[in-house]
Structure formats: C-alpha cells, structure tokens
Amino acid sequence: MMNKEDIFRLVVEHTREVLPELEEYNIQPNDRLVDLGANSVDRAEIIMRTMESLSLKVPRVELFGAKNIEELVELLYEKIQSV
Amino acid sequence: MLRTASFSGQVGLITILEAWEEAKLDKADPSRIGLVIGGSNFQQRDMVQMHEAYADRVHFVRPTYGLTFMDSDLVGLCTEQFGIKGISYTLGGASASGQLAIIQAIQAVQSGQVDICIAMGALMDVSYWECQAFRSLGAMGSDRFADEPEKACRPFDRERDGFIYGESCGAVVIERTESAISRQITPYAIITGWAVGMDASRNPHPSYEGEVQVIKKALEQAKLSPHQIDYVNPHGTGSLVGDEIEIKAIVDCQLSNAAINATKSITGHGLSSSGAVEVIATLLQMKESRLHPTRNLESPIEESCNWVRDQSITHHVKHALSLNIGFGGINTAICFYKI
C-alpha cells in the first residue's frame, strides 16, 4: 500500500511530465499546481495520470477541492484507503 | 502545451513558427491575422493508440484526449501560441485541403476579414487502418517495391501502382503586396488566378472535365494563355488512374511546353498537407530558378510533356500553375507570378 510520501512523489512525477519546465524546480507539498503554471487542462491531466498510476477508479469530481498538492495527496490517500 | 498536443498539433506549431518568423508577423496586428488549417481527421494514429492503450481501462483515458480527438484542437493550439485573434478554422478537402486552405485564405484577405491569413496544410497522421483502406480502395501503392522502397514512389511512371504516403506539413502567408512590403518582406510571388471546381462525384477517381475546368478558370482569371505558363506543379500522386487523367488534362489544356515535375516523387503524398507543401515547392523553385527532379520517372506515361527527369535543371519561371485533386470530386488550381 502506498503511503503519502509515495503519492506525493507520483504527483511530482506526473506534474513534471505535463510541465517539463519544472524539471529543475523542487516541488513542495504546499505548492499549488495553478501557481506552478498548470491550467485546468494540465491539472486534469496530472490528476488523471496519478489516478492511473494508483489504479484509483473513482470519479474525478471526488478529488475536487484540494487547495494545494498536500491536500490533493491527502484526498488521494483517503480514496485508496476506502476502495 | 507540446506534451499534451497530438503529433499533428506539434508539427503544426513548428511549421507556423517558421512561417511566422520569416514573414515577421510579430510586427503585424494579431487581431488582423487569420489562420485557415486545411485538412480533417488529422489525428487518426494518436486515436488508435489511445483506444488500444485504454481499451480495458477507459476510466483512465487522458483528459486531453477530449481536446486532441478534434481537428479544431490545432486551431486552439496555434492561435494560442501565436496570439492570433482574427479568424481561424479547419477546412476539409481531402488531398486538395492544403490548396483549398490557401484559396480560402486569399478570399479572407480579399474580403477584408483579415489583412494577413496563414494557410496551413496540416499533417495527416494516418493509422494502419487508413493505410489498409487506401490500399483496398486501390489508391495506395502495393508492396511490390518492398525490397527497394526508394523505387516505390513513382508518379507518372509506367511502373507506378499507387501513391506512397509521406508525412509533411506546410504553411504559407497570404496578404496584399503593400502589407508585406510594410514589414520589409519581399513576397515569393503574386497570386494571379485560382479556381475550385467539383465533379459532383463521391468516387475517388478524378474527372478529366473537372481538371480541365479548373485549369481553364485559373488561367482565365490570371489573364494568361496556356503558353505563358513556364512551369506546372501537378497533383501527380502515382495513382494508376489519377496520373493518366491529370496528364491528359494538362496536355489538352496546351500546357505541354511548360516544364513539369512531381513534388510527391520526393515528399510522398501528405494527403491534407500536400497542396500547401507543393505550393511551397513551387514558390521555392520560382525563387531559385531551379526545378527539382522527378524521382523514379524512368518511363513517363506521356512522352510529349517537358519533364524534369532525374536531374534538377535551371529554369526561369515567370508564371507557374499548381494543381490539386481530392477525394470527393474536388479540383483546385492556383497561378503564381514571380515579381
């Protein structure tokens, strides 16, 4: 089972895939994807790629509301506990 | 943006960048720039790959597929990247798409919709499904030359047996002469005449009457007699019927004296892009007064034409004529005059 650090690393990996310009930037848990330059399509892509890596099959709407990457990781962690 | 763009989108962005820089479009008002993208079904290969990768886990399909499966994604990508705020849309015309986009761009400038209009023939990224269907239809070349692939693409040669696909993309900038000069741009050529005509036929076989009609109309608009054309850039795909009919139309329109080669013998057939790529080939040849060879033209189906064969030649071109034909009975022709 993945812990929160593992999930954070996955989010960072997929963020860099979608936004290669962040390769050198040290992404922090309190960073907001929108502040890192991810528009709504990029955010959807990052989250879906992470869900795919976690084999987490829940509607994406259930992951709405995270204010930063840390909260997104929390939400993802909760979901993998409950499915 | 490039990471989530389809291959056609990526190539389109790079192609427009070249045209944008050469035409110094940073100096132009973006609200007066338009973009017409010729072609449709650009992203077939990406779609097949996506369907195959996610067939058993549709839930995880990439959200950006909701954008990339539409041809208009190229409109979004390119207008965002270059800040184009005039008009923009895609325009489908099968293998005549590129030239149809150029004609539409001419009309957008003429009508005053925009001052400058980029016309792109976009890359049509076909999958194995389309290739197989083109073969079954008798349009695409067989595997007869599988062991000598360099010989497979042979427009107007007696040994041809169909077109050979080639990836390409091309963009040209259309504007009034004074508009180009205001940005210290020397135009490649002046467009003097053009024509679009339909055969009223779904059949992929081209129509002799349709081709003759657009050649005559374009020459008439350009106020040229056939003998004034120094160079013809034909559609010339290497298809069995298409090449025969096209060369008959060219001969019967009294264009046999003009030098003629086949750009597709070098580039392959880019389908939606080919019309734009061949106009660019025409303009570059006019600029350099050099005509490229026709690869694999060992035994031409029509000996009376003035072929450029296995060697490039020096040839001053004042008036050129470029032709395209597309499935769906579409014929196009454009005349260019070198300043």
Side-chain angles (χ1 to χ4, degrees):
Chain A
M1 180 64 80
M2 288 235 170
N3 61 33
K4 289 180 190 174
E5 286 74 41
D6 296 331
I7 299 174
F8 176 73
R9 272 194 292 274
L10 273 178
V11 173
V12 168
E13 182 190 324
H14 292 305
T15 303
R16 289 196 173 129
E17 275 171 17
V18 174
L19 302 168
E21 60 271 27
L22 295 175
E23 198 181 350
E24 302 290 315
Y25 176 74
N26 188 13
I27 297 175
Q28 298 297 320
N30 61 354
D31 277 331
R32 288 159 51 86
L33 287 173
V34 67
D35 295 336
L36 296 177
N39 65 26
S40 62
V41 173
D42 297 333
R43 297 199 297 277
E45 192 76 12
I46 292 163
I47 292 166
M48 188 53 78
R49 287 180 189 209
T50 309
M51 289 167 71
E52 187 183 350
S53 297
L54 293 168
S55 299
L56 177 62
K57 207 169 170 180
V58 296
R60 204 172 73 79
V61 63
E62 292 185 18
L63 293 168
F64 284 179
K67 297 279 184 290
N68 57 26
I69 294 176
E70 191 172 23
E71 289 188 23
L72 174 65
V73 170
E74 284 291 340
L75 272 173
L76 289 165
Y77 184 73
E78 276 172 33
K79 293 292 171 194
I80 56 169
Q81 304 300 310
S82 60
V83 289
Chain B
M1 202 154 64
L2 282 174
R3 286 283 172 103
T4 52
S6 64
F7 182 52
S8 309
Q10 293 171 358
V11 173
L13 283 168
I14 300 301
T15 305
I16 294 183
L17 178 65
E18 273 189 36
W20 190 273
E21 290 185 343
E22 189 177 352
K24 300 177 187 167
L25 292 180
D26 275 339
K27 292 183 181 176
D29 173 3
S31 70
R32 300 294 301 158
I33 301 176
L35 169 65
V36 182
I37 300 180
S40 46
N41 309 97
F42 299 129
Q43 291 138 167
Q44 299 298 109
R45 194 175 57 96
D46 275 357
M47 281 165 64
V48 168
Q49 284 178 339
M50 188 66 80
H51 293 171
E52 288 180 353
Y54 287 93
D56 57 354
R57 46 191 182 121
V58 177
H59 183 84
F60 297 116
V61 73
R62 295 280 163 89
T64 41
Y65 177 64
L67 298 175
T68 56
F69 87 89
M70 287 187 271
D71 291 330
S72 54
D73 190 39
L74 268 71
V75 168
L77 280 170
C78 298
T79 55
E80 176 180 330
Q81 182 62 38
F82 298 99
I84 295 167
K85 297 218 167 145
I87 53 162
S88 188
Y89 45 84
T90 64
L91 179 69
S95 299
S97 295
Q99 217 173 75
L100 211 51
I102 292 173
I103 291 170
Q104 187 68 22
I106 296 167
Q107 290 169 343
V109 171
Q110 268 201 330
S111 69
Q113 268 189 307
V114 285
D115 296 329
I116 298 169
C117 199
I118 303 167
M120 177 160 80
L123 185 142
M124 195 180 210
D125 193 15
V126 290
S127 76
Y128 58 89
W129 292 98
E130 288 73 49
C131 291
Q132 187 59 47
F134 276 140
R135 263 197 183 186
S136 305
L137 206 52
M140 193 181 255
S142 73
D143 52 10
R144 207 170 100 217
F145 293 100
D147 296 331
E148 306 167 283
E150 69 282 2
K151 292 188 176 171
C153 190
R154 41 196 321 121
F156 300 112
D157 185 79
R158 288 186 197 282
E159 295 300 313
R160 77 200 182 286
D161 70 355
F163 80 80
I164 300 298
Y165 171 70
E167 289 174 345
S168 59
C169 181
V172 293
V173 177
I174 310 287
E175 59 187 317
R176 291 182 188 280
T177 313
E178 54 272 25
S179 161
I181 290 170
S182 74
R183 296 192 316 287
Q184 288 84 50
I185 297 291
T186 307
Y188 278 89
I190 291 174
I191 296 158
T192 50
W194 62 89
V196 180
M198 302 304 296
D199 303 330
S201 164
R202 183 201 187 191
N203 197 298
H205 284 192
S207 145
Y208 168 79
E209 291 77 18
E211 292 182 35
V212 166
Q213 185 200 25
V214 290
I215 293 171
K216 286 187 171 166
K217 275 192 175 173
L219 289 176
E220 191 185 339
Q221 188 185 7
K223 298 187 173 63
L224 293 172
S225 74
H227 304 288
Q228 287 174 278
I229 298 290
D230 309 294
Y231 169 63
V232 175
N233 187 299
H235 187 61
T237 62
S239 91
L240 281 171
V241 186
D243 285 5
E244 290 276 0
I245 291 180
E246 182 175 25
I247 208 65
K248 184 171 177 1
I250 288 169
V251 170
D252 290 355
C253 285
Q254 299 173 289
L255 290 162
S256 312
N257 291 331
I260 178 169
N261 54 15
T263 299
K264 286 187 186 77
S265 72
I266 296 167
T267 61
H269 191 351
L271 304 165
S272 53
S273 66
S274 71
V277 168
E278 285 148 27
V279 162
I280 293 165
T282 301
L283 297 173
L284 289 173
Q285 292 179 97
M286 290 175 90
K287 182 173 178 235
E288 300 297 331
S289 294
R290 292 281 292 174
L291 301 184
H292 68 67
T294 308
R295 284 179 62 243
N296 297 319
L297 184 64
E298 288 162 4
S299 179
I301 54 172
E302 175 58 63
E303 290 287 352
S304 72
C305 287
N306 186 9
W307 296 105
V308 186
R309 299 181 67 154
D310 59 342
Q311 296 292 322
S312 62
I313 60 163
T314 297
H315 185 75
H316 180 70
V317 180
K318 194 169 165 189
H319 292 287
L321 174 67
S322 179
L323 304 172
N324 269 145
I325 304 158
F327 283 3
I330 306 169
N331 306 279
T332 59
I334 309 182
C335 296
F336 296 95
Y337 165 63
K338 188 178 161 189
I339 307 156

